[in-house]
Amino acid sequence: MRRALIAACLALALAAPAAAQDVPAPSRQRPLENTDEGGLWGMSDRAEAQARASGQIERDPALNEYVRGVACRVAARYCGDVRVYVMNRPFFNASMAPNGYMEVWSGLLLRADDEAQLAFVLGHETTHYAEQHSIEMMRTVRGRATAAMILSVGASAAGAGYAGDLIYLGTLASVFGYSREKETEADMAGFDHTAAAGYDVGAGAAIWTSLIAETRASDNPDVRRRETRGSIFATHPVSTERVQALQARATQRGAGGETFRERYRAAIRPHLDPWLRAELRRRDFGQTMQILDRLAAHGEDLGVVEYYRGEVNRIRRGNGDRDRAKTHYLAAIAQPDAPAAAWRELGEMAARDGNNAEAAQLFATYLERAPNAEDRALVEARVAQISGGAQ
């Protein structure tokens, strides 16, 4: 009985991401400030301070603990070095700086199908950290950092603080950017870390394949002609050769590992609505529809997915888009997880069609489902307006 209990505890420990109380001490000592490596840590410290103060940081403790647990599971001996910041930014990106500060963007979390795919990307980034690739690169691109600091300060002085952030982040990424050989090395080591942690060995090839498909789905012909990027700051593309190399590695190792898809979806589900709203602001509707199709692949969260399919069509305003938007909104409100805004959009459509009684009912349902809606006063005014001539 005791032996069975111990076995069960071990299995549970392997299945769950590392918890905060299990985090070991950092593996590295801070370098001296008067060294080039110390300077790079200083840059990383400033970027980390910006991330910590950013309005885009996700402060949900459960989400942060979950992502950090996945990072620790593939980081192994470097777990104690990792400090994760989840950011609501609608682009595929994760990075780890030399001081252990790691950013994981919502664009990556939306695009990963399961925990294994997230683990592969974080394992890839951890490899850059473990092998100190950024320090090697920093010694060749030191001038860029100085230029970026000057541009960033200039942008802030001109009142364009966000542009300054992008310049600073972009140049940090270029400093932390890597050669094609380093990217391949990180892919292979990331694969090994992912497989050793018990994850699906096909995860790396799968997420790079999905990114290539998303590039081809873009509305922008220039984007479709470009090679896929593994990060908005990446200097080297995600090529079919990298996918094939990962597939060959998986074949050599043999099938196996877990995707942990269900618990991954449970972790990101509370954030789908705001992340998809941010994704829409990119206004690349072809890519957004590709992401929505992947989110719907297992028949989950269909209220949210159908609502955002409706939003894509409403905002795009192409031929037939209005009818398609209405179809998706109606599909959304048939689901238990439909956002309240689906009733509001249907109400507005009904009002524009002159169906004022129907519109008033739909607006009332919206306000019932969203009693603290920021636009309550506007919606109530709209109801008062159409009620004067209700049919």
Side-chain angles (χ1 to χ4, degrees), residues 225-254:
R225 282 192 289 269
R226 288 202 301 261
E227 291 184 284
T228 303
R229 307 284 172 172
S231 156
I232 63 167
F233 300 123
T235 53
H236 293 288
V238 173
S239 63
T240 53
E241 287 77 13
R242 285 175 67 179
V243 173
Q244 290 166 354
L246 286 166
Q247 289 171 332
R249 191 85 155 195
T251 300
Q252 288 175 351
R253 187 180 181 93

Side-chain angles (χ1 to χ4, degrees), residues 162-177:
Y162 185 68
D165 289 348
L166 287 179
I167 292 168
Y168 194 70
L169 287 169
T171 304
L172 270 178
S174 76
V175 172
F176 304 151

Side-chain angles (χ1 to χ4, degrees), residues 72-376:
C72 268
R73 192 168 175 177
V74 292
R77 63 183 286 248
Y78 298 104
C79 171
D81 300 7
V82 179
R83 298 183 301 284
V84 174
Y85 299 84
V86 180
M87 313 296 288
N88 184 356
R89 290 174 175 155
F91 299 95
F92 186 103
N93 190 53
S95 60
M96 186 168 178
N99 69 343
Y101 135 66
M102 172 182 281
E103 282 197 17
V104 179
W105 290 13
S106 58
L108 161 60
L109 297 172
L110 266 183
R111 288 163 174 80
D113 290 332
D114 52 49
E115 187 176 305
Q117 293 185 12
L118 172 63
F120 167 76
V121 176
L122 301 188
H124 175 108
E125 294 303 322
T126 304
T127 299
H128 286 313
Y129 171 84
E131 300 301 324
Q132 298 186 297
H133 289 163
S134 58
I135 295 171
E136 294 178 30
M137 291 300 296
M138 186 272 294
R139 288 168 179 158
T140 65
V141 294
R142 183 177 291 136
R144 296 185 197 175
T146 303
M149 288 294 292
I150 294 170
L151 288 171
S152 181
V153 170
S156 297
Y162 185 68
D165 289 348
L166 287 179
I167 292 168
Y168 194 70
L169 287 169
T171 304
L172 270 178
S174 76
V175 172
F176 304 151
Y178 310 105
S179 68
R180 189 177 297 273
E181 290 74 21
K182 301 299 184 194
E183 288 296 315
T184 300
E185 180 182 343
D187 270 358
M188 294 301 108
F191 172 94
D192 291 342
H193 293 317
T194 306
Y199 287 114
D200 173 29
V201 298
I207 195 166
W208 287 162
T209 299
S210 293
L211 273 187
I212 291 171
E214 184 183 327
T215 299
R216 292 171 180 168
S218 173
D219 293 337
N220 187 332
D222 291 338
V223 172
R224 293 198 298 270
R225 282 192 289 269
R226 288 202 301 261
E227 291 184 284
T228 303
R229 307 284 172 172
S231 156
I232 63 167
F233 300 123
T235 53
H236 293 288
V238 173
S239 63
T240 53
E241 287 77 13
R242 285 175 67 179
V243 173
Q244 290 166 354
L246 286 166
Q247 289 171 332
R249 191 85 155 195
T251 300
Q252 288 175 351
R253 187 180 181 93
E258 299 288 340
T259 63
F260 296 116
R261 191 192 67 79
E262 291 82 3
R263 74 182 186 192
Y264 177 78
R265 191 59 167 263
I268 69 169
R269 178 168 291 121
H271 306 278
L272 289 179
D273 190 5
W275 291 352
L276 285 168
R277 176 61 59 191
E279 172 66 30
L280 268 183
R281 296 191 188 106
R282 295 177 57 237
R283 300 188 72 84
D284 191 326
F285 303 120
Q287 292 192 342
T288 299
M289 289 298 274
Q290 205 262 356
I291 293 169
L292 290 168
D293 288 347
R294 287 168 57 191
L295 286 171
H298 295 276
E300 297 172 318
D301 308 309
L302 293 181
V304 175
V305 170
E306 287 294 334
Y307 169 71
Y308 279 99
R309 282 172 169 161
E311 287 291 89
V312 166
N313 284 280
R314 179 180 68 83
I315 296 169
R316 186 169 54 193
R317 297 183 179 181
N319 290 335
D321 278 347
R322 186 181 189 278
D323 290 342
R324 281 189 286 271
K326 184 175 182 179
T327 298
H328 287 303
Y329 290 142
L330 289 171
I333 65 172
Q335 302 292 329
D337 62 329
W343 279 268
R344 182 190 61 202
E345 298 305 331
L346 284 168
E348 187 57 35
M349 285 183 169
R352 288 176 183 271
D353 291 339
N355 300 320
N356 293 340
E358 179 187 355
Q361 182 57 52
L362 287 162
F363 283 136
T365 303
Y366 164 66
L367 293 176
E368 287 173 7
R369 288 175 169 266
N372 299 317
E374 293 181 353
D375 60 351
R376 167 173 282 275

Side-chain angles (χ1 to χ4, degrees), residues 31-46 138:
L32 295 174
E33 291 184 0
N34 60 354
T35 64
D36 56 0
E37 186 178 356
L40 191 56
W41 277 55
M43 287 181 61
S44 302
D45 291 344
R46 290 190 288 276
M138 186 272 294

